[in-house]
Amino acid sequence: MLEIRNLTKIYEDGTLAVDDVSFTVPDGEFLVVIGLSGSGKSTLLRCINRLIDPTEGEIIWNGIDLAKLEGDELRHARRKIGMVFQHFNLVDRSSVLTNILTGRLGYSKTWPTMLHRFPIEDREKAWQTLERLGIEDQAHKLARELSGGQQQRVGIARALMQDPELMLADEPVASLDPVLAHSILQHLEDLNQEDGLTIICSLHYLDLVQRYSTSVIGLKAGKLVYQGSKKDIRNMTDDEFKTIYGEEAIRISDTSLEGSLGEVVEQ
Amino acid sequence: MKSKKSQIYKEASTLPSIVPPWLAAVLSAIVPGLGQALARAVQRGLVIFFSFISIIGLLVWRFKDAAPRDEGVVDIVRKAFRLEPIFVLISILFVIFYIWIIIDAYQMAKIAGKPDKRKPIVVMVLLILVFFVIGWQIGQIDLYAFVTKFGDALPAISRVLWPWERAITYPEETWMGTAGLETPCDDTPPPPTEPLEDKPYLIVDPTCGTPSEQIDQEDGTIEVMPGTKLHVEGYNFTPEKEVEIWWKDPAISQFRHREGGDILRVIPDENGYFEEEITWPYRLIPDSYLEGGANWELQGRQVTTIGDWEFSAELKMAIEKMIETIFIGMMATFFGIILALPFSFLAARNLMRANAFTLGIYYLVRGVLNIIRSIEPLIWAIIAIIIVGLGPFAGILALVVHSIAALGKLYSEAIESIDSGPIEAVTATGANWLQTIMYGVIPQIIPPFVSFTIYRWDINIRMSTVIGLVGGGGIGYLLTQWIRMLDYSAAGIAVWFIAITVALLDYISAEIRERFI
Ligand SMILES: Nc1ncnc2c1ncn2[C@@H]1O[C@H](COP(=O)(O)OP(=O)(O)OP(=O)(O)O)[C@@H](O)[C@H]1O
Ligand SMILES: [Mg+2]
C-alpha cells in the first residue's frame, strides 16, 4: 500500500508544483491521475520514486518513508518501482536488448555491468519480457529505429525487468496515436490484473481514463481537487470536471480534440 | 530596455530639426554628418561621419603610398593619378559622396518631424562602391597581369599537374673520351691523343693555344677576344647518340661548352665519329693555377641509361614524407583526444553550473579554449619550432594544441546537448552512479565524440600537409623546398600525394562516420 501524506514540492525557482497532497493507493489499484498541463502530475509521480526530492511530506510505501531514503536504501527501493515515460526515455543509440537489461542494473554487480555482462538469468528474463510484449523481433535493433508504440513497449519491458511492485506511468500514451494508446494501456492493464501490479498513471484522454482506471485523482494547480472511483468518473458532472480542468475545458472541446476530456462537457 | 531606446529615438525623430536646412547643409559641408545629426537623424549622422573619416584616412594612406617621395598635396595627387588611374575613379566617387552628404543634410533638416523616411539606398551602394574600389587598389588586383602572365606560367603549372616523368629514373653511365690542351703555347706542344681501342677519345688540333679573354673597355663595356679555334674529332663514340662537350679548366671546375651562347650538341655518325669547330672559351681562373702554364681538358660525354627503370629519389622522399605527414596528423589527433577529454567535462555547462566555483572554472576553461582555438595551427607551429626546433615534433605540438581547443569545445557541446530523459530512466531503475554514466551518458556521447574525432583527424591530416611550410615536418616541408628550387615536377609529385591522401582520408572518414552514427 502506498500512502502519500501532505506531499509538497516547491522548485528552486519558487514554483509550487505540488501543494499539500494526500491520498492512498491500495495494492493492485490502477490509479489514474488527471489534470491540466502544468497541474503537477509529473512532479507528483517523480516524487514517488525520488527523481525529484519532495520539499515536504511523507511517501509511505510498505511501511517505509521513501521521502527519507538516501543512497543504497533509496536505490533498493527504486528497484521495486518501475517507471514508464511519455517520451519513452530509451537510450536511443543502444540496442533494444541493452535498454531492457538496463532494468536489471539495480540488481547487478557494478563491475560486470561496466563490461555489459549480465547474468544468464537476466538475459533469459529479457527475452521472456520481450516475448510477452511482442517485440522479440526487434531485440537487436537500435532503440531509435523502432516506432513509437514499439519504443513504449521497450519502456514497459525495461520497467518489468525490475520485478516491480509499483509501476509509475507518466502520460505513457501521450505521444502515441489512439490505437497504439489502447494497446499500450492493455499491456499495463494486463500487468495490473494478472500480476496484481499497482499502477499509477497520468492520462489526458477521458475514454482511456474511463476504460482503464480503477480509481482517479484530479490535480489542479498542484492541489488535489478530485478523488473518485471508476464509477464516479463515469458519472462526472460538468461542474466537477470544470473544477479540475477549469473554464479552458470548453475551449478544448471547441478545437475538437477527439476523445479528450473536453468531451465531458458535451456529454 | 531596447524598446525604450527605440521609443526615445522615435520621439526624437518626430521633432523638428534644430537648425534650418541651409545651415544643416553648411554644417555638413564642414563636418560631414553634423547637419544630419542636428536634423534629429543622429544615427545617420554618425554613420556618415565615420564613413567619411575612414575614407579620408584610407585615401591619405593610399595616395601617400602611391607617391612616397613627393611633397605637397597637389604633387602627390597628380603623381598618383598618373601612376594609377584608378585613383581618379576613387576621387570622383568620393566627391559624389561628399556632395550627397551636403544635399542629404539639407533634405533631412527639411523633412525632420515628418513621417516620411528617406532610405539612403543609392548612397549605400555608392559607399560600398567606394570601399570596393579602394579595396581593389589596396589588394593590388591586376586581372590584366593575371591573364597575360598565365601563359608564362603554363609550363611550370603543367609540370605540377603531370609530374610523373619525374617519378621514375634510369640508372645512368657516362661514356667519356678526353683530350688534353695547354696554354700558353711553348716550344713543345703536347702530343695529340693516343688512339684507343674500344674506348672513345678526342683529337684536338692544335693542342695548345689561348682561351677567350674579356677586356674591359674605357667606356665600361666589355669586349671579348675570341680564343684559339680548335678542330675537334671524336672516335669510338656510340653512334647517333648525343655527345655533350665539356671542359675541365686548370682550377678543375667542369662546365659545358657553349658556342655563341648555346649549349653545343653533337651527334656522332654511324661509326661513332664526329668533328666540330669550337672556340676555346673564356674562364676566370685564379693566378695561382696558371704558374708555369696550365692544362685544360676537353671531354666528350655520352650518358647512357643502363638497366631497368627505378623509382626516383624524389618519389621515394615524397612517399616517406607523406607517411610522416599522416603520422603527424595521427599522433596529434591521438594526444588531442586524450587531453581534450578532461577539458571537455570542465567546459560543459550542464556539469559545471552546480556552484559559483565550478562555474568560474567553466568560464575560465571555455575562455582559454576559445583563445587557443582562434590562433591558427601555423602560428602554433612557429611557436613550437622556437621551443623544440624544426621537424615533425613541432608540427605535432602545434596540431595537438589546436586540437585540444577545438575538440574540447566540440566535446563539451556534445556533453551539454545530451538528453536527460534516458539518464533519468536509468536512475529510476535503481542503477548506481557508475552504471548510470555507463548506460545513460556514454551511449549518448560516443557517436558525437566519434564524429568530432574523425572530423578533427581529417583536419589534422590536412593541416599537417601545410604545417611543413613553416618547418613543422611532413610533406609541406619538401613542397616548399622544391618550389624554392624551382623543381616544379618534384613539387607536383608532392601536391599529387597531398591531394590523393586527403581525398582518400575524406572517403575513409566518411565511411567510418556512416558506420558509427
Ligand atoms: N524543474 C523545474 N523547475 C521549476 N519549475 C518546474 C520544473 N518542472 C516543472 N515545473 C513547474 O511545476 C509545475 C508542474 O509541472 P509538471 O511537469 O509536474 O506538470 P504536469 O501536470 O506534468 O504537466 P504536463 O501535463 O504538461 O506534463 C509547472 O508549473 C511547471 O512549470
Ligand atoms: Mg508531465
Side-chain angles (χ1 to χ4, degrees), chain A residues 37-38 40-43 46 86 170-171 202:
Chain A
S37 177
K41 303 183 296 295
S42 299
T43 307
R46 273 147 208 265
Q86 175 181 352
D170 188 7
E171 297 186 33
S202 60

PDB file of all heavy atoms in Angstrom, chain A residues 37-38 40-43 46 86 170-171 202, ligand 2:
ATOM      1  N   SER A  37      -2.406  20.512 -18.074  1.00  0.00           N
ATOM      2  CA  SER A  37      -0.959  20.618 -18.240  1.00  0.00           C
ATOM      3  C   SER A  37      -0.415  21.619 -17.225  1.00  0.00           C
ATOM      4  O   SER A  37      -0.982  22.696 -17.053  1.00  0.00           O
ATOM      5  CB  SER A  37      -0.673  21.085 -19.666  1.00  0.00           C
ATOM      6  OG  SER A  37       0.705  21.269 -19.819  1.00  0.00           O
ATOM      7  N   GLY A  38       0.640  21.223 -16.522  1.00  0.00           N
ATOM      8  CA  GLY A  38       1.224  22.118 -15.527  1.00  0.00           C
ATOM      9  C   GLY A  38       0.598  21.992 -14.159  1.00  0.00           C
ATOM     10  O   GLY A  38       0.954  22.718 -13.238  1.00  0.00           O
ATOM     11  N   GLY A  40       0.872  19.533 -12.131  1.00  0.00           N
ATOM     12  CA  GLY A  40       1.767  18.888 -11.179  1.00  0.00           C
ATOM     13  C   GLY A  40       1.763  17.370 -11.219  1.00  0.00           C
ATOM     14  O   GLY A  40       2.299  16.717 -10.329  1.00  0.00           O
ATOM     15  N   LYS A  41       1.198  16.782 -12.289  1.00  0.00           N
ATOM     16  CA  LYS A  41       1.119  15.322 -12.380  1.00  0.00           C
ATOM     17  C   LYS A  41       2.502  14.684 -12.418  1.00  0.00           C
ATOM     18  O   LYS A  41       2.799  13.766 -11.648  1.00  0.00           O
ATOM     19  CB  LYS A  41       0.342  14.918 -13.642  1.00  0.00           C
ATOM     20  CG  LYS A  41      -1.048  15.486 -13.723  1.00  0.00           C
ATOM     21  CD  LYS A  41      -1.790  14.997 -14.946  1.00  0.00           C
ATOM     22  CE  LYS A  41      -1.187  15.436 -16.258  1.00  0.00           C
ATOM     23  NZ  LYS A  41      -1.243  16.899 -16.472  1.00  0.00           N
ATOM     24  N   SER A  42       3.349  15.213 -13.322  1.00  0.00           N
ATOM     25  CA  SER A  42       4.688  14.630 -13.432  1.00  0.00           C
ATOM     26  C   SER A  42       5.457  14.808 -12.138  1.00  0.00           C
ATOM     27  O   SER A  42       6.151  13.886 -11.684  1.00  0.00           O
ATOM     28  CB  SER A  42       5.463  15.300 -14.565  1.00  0.00           C
ATOM     29  OG  SER A  42       4.797  15.109 -15.781  1.00  0.00           O
ATOM     30  N   THR A  43       5.337  15.979 -11.570  1.00  0.00           N
ATOM     31  CA  THR A  43       6.061  16.242 -10.320  1.00  0.00           C
ATOM     32  C   THR A  43       5.658  15.244  -9.244  1.00  0.00           C
ATOM     33  O   THR A  43       6.513  14.681  -8.552  1.00  0.00           O
ATOM     34  CB  THR A  43       5.774  17.674  -9.864  1.00  0.00           C
ATOM     35  OG1 THR A  43       6.046  18.574 -10.930  1.00  0.00           O
ATOM     36  CG2 THR A  43       6.636  18.042  -8.669  1.00  0.00           C
ATOM     37  N   ARG A  46       7.136  11.788 -10.028  1.00  0.00           N
ATOM     38  CA  ARG A  46       8.585  11.773  -9.852  1.00  0.00           C
ATOM     39  C   ARG A  46       9.002  11.871  -8.398  1.00  0.00           C
ATOM     40  O   ARG A  46      10.117  11.471  -8.036  1.00  0.00           O
ATOM     41  CB  ARG A  46       9.229  12.916 -10.643  1.00  0.00           C
ATOM     42  CG  ARG A  46       9.531  12.547 -12.064  1.00  0.00           C
ATOM     43  CD  ARG A  46       9.386  13.739 -12.986  1.00  0.00           C
ATOM     44  NE  ARG A  46       9.034  13.269 -14.315  1.00  0.00           N
ATOM     45  CZ  ARG A  46       9.942  13.051 -15.263  1.00  0.00           C
ATOM     46  NH1 ARG A  46      11.203  13.329 -15.043  1.00  0.00           N
ATOM     47  NH2 ARG A  46       9.579  12.577 -16.428  1.00  0.00           N
ATOM     48  N   GLN A  86       6.543   9.493 -20.875  1.00  0.00           N
ATOM     49  CA  GLN A  86       5.823   9.959 -22.064  1.00  0.00           C
ATOM     50  C   GLN A  86       6.691   9.847 -23.314  1.00  0.00           C
ATOM     51  O   GLN A  86       6.263   9.386 -24.350  1.00  0.00           O
ATOM     52  CB  GLN A  86       5.375  11.410 -21.884  1.00  0.00           C
ATOM     53  CG  GLN A  86       4.726  11.969 -23.143  1.00  0.00           C
ATOM     54  CD  GLN A  86       4.296  13.407 -22.990  1.00  0.00           C
ATOM     55  OE1 GLN A  86       4.336  13.976 -21.903  1.00  0.00           O
ATOM     56  NE2 GLN A  86       3.864  13.996 -24.079  1.00  0.00           N
ATOM     57  N   ASP A 170       4.002   8.024 -16.559  1.00  0.00           N
ATOM     58  CA  ASP A 170       3.746   9.448 -16.727  1.00  0.00           C
ATOM     59  C   ASP A 170       3.318   9.708 -18.170  1.00  0.00           C
ATOM     60  O   ASP A 170       4.148   9.776 -19.071  1.00  0.00           O
ATOM     61  CB  ASP A 170       5.013  10.239 -16.386  1.00  0.00           C
ATOM     62  CG  ASP A 170       4.746  11.737 -16.359  1.00  0.00           C
ATOM     63  OD1 ASP A 170       3.570  12.133 -16.468  1.00  0.00           O
ATOM     64  OD2 ASP A 170       5.723  12.502 -16.229  1.00  0.00           O
ATOM     65  N   GLU A 171       2.025   9.835 -18.366  1.00  0.00           N
ATOM     66  CA  GLU A 171       1.462  10.023 -19.704  1.00  0.00           C
ATOM     67  C   GLU A 171       2.074   9.059 -20.705  1.00  0.00           C
ATOM     68  O   GLU A 171       2.651   9.477 -21.718  1.00  0.00           O
ATOM     69  CB  GLU A 171       1.666  11.471 -20.157  1.00  0.00           C
ATOM     70  CG  GLU A 171       0.913  12.424 -19.252  1.00  0.00           C
ATOM     71  CD  GLU A 171       0.973  13.853 -19.753  1.00  0.00           C
ATOM     72  OE1 GLU A 171       1.000  14.015 -20.974  1.00  0.00           O
ATOM     73  OE2 GLU A 171       0.976  14.772 -18.917  1.00  0.00           O
ATOM     74  N   SER A 202      -0.670   8.765 -15.288  1.00  0.00           N
ATOM     75  CA  SER A 202      -1.342  10.018 -15.636  1.00  0.00           C
ATOM     76  C   SER A 202      -1.827   9.936 -17.079  1.00  0.00           C
ATOM     77  O   SER A 202      -1.126   9.405 -17.944  1.00  0.00           O
ATOM     78  CB  SER A 202      -0.405  11.216 -15.424  1.00  0.00           C
ATOM     79  OG  SER A 202       0.734  11.111 -16.226  1.00  0.00           O
TER      80      SER A 202
HETATM   81 MG    MG C   2       4.039  15.984 -17.168  1.00  0.00          MG
END
